[in-house]
Amino acid sequence: MHIRNKRIISLLSLLGLLFHLAACAPTDVRRALENQKPTVTLTDKKLSALDFERAELLFGFEVSSPNPVALSLAGLDYELKLAGRSFVSGSQQETMHLAASGKSRIDLPLSLAFSDIYQGLKEMHGKHEVPYELSTVLHIDVPLLGKLRFPVTTKGVLPLPRLPRVSLKGIQLERLSLSSATLSLKLQVENPNAFGLGLDRLRYALTVNGRRWVSADKRALGDIKAQQGNTLSLPLTLNFAEIGGGLYALLSANRSLDYRLSGSLDARSDNPLIGQFDMPFSSSGSTNLLR
């Protein structure tokens, strides 16, 4: 019964409007119709989510209608440009009822993968942000005026975060005896971003010449400023009896070592949109023993 009453009220409002317009002169009719047109404004634009793989954008539009009858959103067209070049475009064809004599909100979510940005815009490599421009057209059905177009354009800047890098810089031999060796692993952590990082936890494993040398878990490793790198010196003691024969001879000789480094880094970002994250890493290659 409640829905039926609302429909009756809307119908009566529309009939009242029609009778009022019928009694007006042509110029007055046009003026009255123009006064009943809704207005569309962009009230919200934000990064709803951000990580090292993609950005989730949310744009909110407000339709304010003085019309005494409900209007209808017939569709929404959009085009997003990055660095002045068209990057993504499309249409939302879903219809939506808009409030009579009130305001309605319309959301446009967009998801962008950074790999697509770097592939499509080669000039963005090494950049920390990219300017964007969003052009939208809302199509709204208005009584007596038909389907009208309401264009809205907005501009902004999108951050381009990049994963930090963890690599083996070298292995320093501190002490060598017939039964054991004391070494220091030099791990390089590089932060290519325009924001700082805090290194909360590092889990890593190092295999050299096919033998597992260490598997460890370190915490509270300090901070890295924006666009800088830190070298972490991690102590390591090797017991020859546990690891196997031939290790003394290997460390005594001046030979290159084949290694594989893997693990995960727990860190936190100065950028509140990214916050804390867990990043796996893996690298391999050859290195000489530093003495």
Side-chain angles (χ1 to χ4, degrees), residues 40-72:
V40 178
T41 55
L42 180 73
T43 58
D44 192 20
K45 59 178 181 178
K46 64 181 181 180
L47 275 167
S48 57
L50 177 70
D51 56 30
F52 293 98
E53 294 184 355
R54 63 193 317 106
E56 305 290 341
L57 300 170
L58 180 64
F59 299 91
F61 301 88
E62 183 180 86
V63 180
S64 179
S65 174
N67 206 303
V69 296
L71 308 180
S72 176

Side-chain angles (χ1 to χ4, degrees), residues 69-261:
V69 296
L71 308 180
S72 176
L73 176 69
L76 188 156
D77 302 328
Y78 62 89
E79 180 186 27
L80 180 68
K81 293 182 179 179
L82 299 180
R85 295 165 57 183
S86 181
F87 189 76
V88 62
S89 60
S91 299
Q92 288 188 354
Q93 301 299 332
E94 297 84 358
T95 59
M96 173 182 173
H97 292 293
L98 306 175
S101 302
K103 298 178 180 179
S104 301
R105 179 182 171 90
I106 300 168
D107 287 334
L108 174 63
L110 295 177
S111 181
L112 301 177
F114 292 122
S115 59
D116 294 338
I117 295 177
Y118 298 137
Q119 182 177 358
L121 304 173
K122 302 297 184 182
E123 66 271 21
M124 288 297 105
H125 285 280
K127 300 293 181 66
H128 299 294
E129 57 185 25
V130 57
Y132 71 82
E133 178 179 330
L134 176 68
S135 300
T136 57
V137 177
L138 282 76
H139 303 278
I140 300 178
D141 281 327
V142 179
L144 304 180
L145 295 181
K147 185 183 297 184
L148 302 182
R149 300 173 73 258
F150 294 85
V152 180
T153 299
T154 184
K155 298 180 180 181
V157 176
L158 177 67
L160 298 174
R162 289 173 172 81
L163 282 169
R165 294 182 292 272
V166 180
S167 60
L168 180 64
K169 188 176 182 181
I171 302 176
Q172 179 80 46
L173 179 62
E174 307 287 352
R175 185 182 65 86
L176 178 64
S177 69
L178 294 176
S179 60
S180 65
T182 301
L183 306 101
S184 177
L185 301 183
K186 308 297 183 181
L187 297 189
Q188 181 75 9
V189 183
E190 299 179 16
N191 176 20
N193 295 287
F195 48 78
L197 296 175
L199 307 183
D200 294 333
R201 186 177 185 182
L202 179 68
R203 293 177 289 270
Y204 64 96
L206 177 67
T207 299
V208 178
N209 286 13
R211 296 183 181 181
R212 174 66 64 88
W213 275 20
V214 64
S215 179
D217 189 336
K218 301 293 183 181
R219 298 174 184 266
L221 297 171
D223 300 328
I224 303 181
K225 294 182 179 180
Q227 296 180 263
Q228 293 190 15
N230 284 3
T231 300
L232 306 177
S233 296
L234 305 176
L236 169 64
T237 299
L238 300 179
N239 187 308
F240 298 159
E242 294 178 356
I243 296 180
L247 192 55
Y248 178 83
L250 177 66
L251 297 178
S252 300
N254 188 20
R255 292 159 44 190
S256 63
L257 307 174
D258 296 327
Y259 73 88
R260 178 174 176 79
L261 176 69

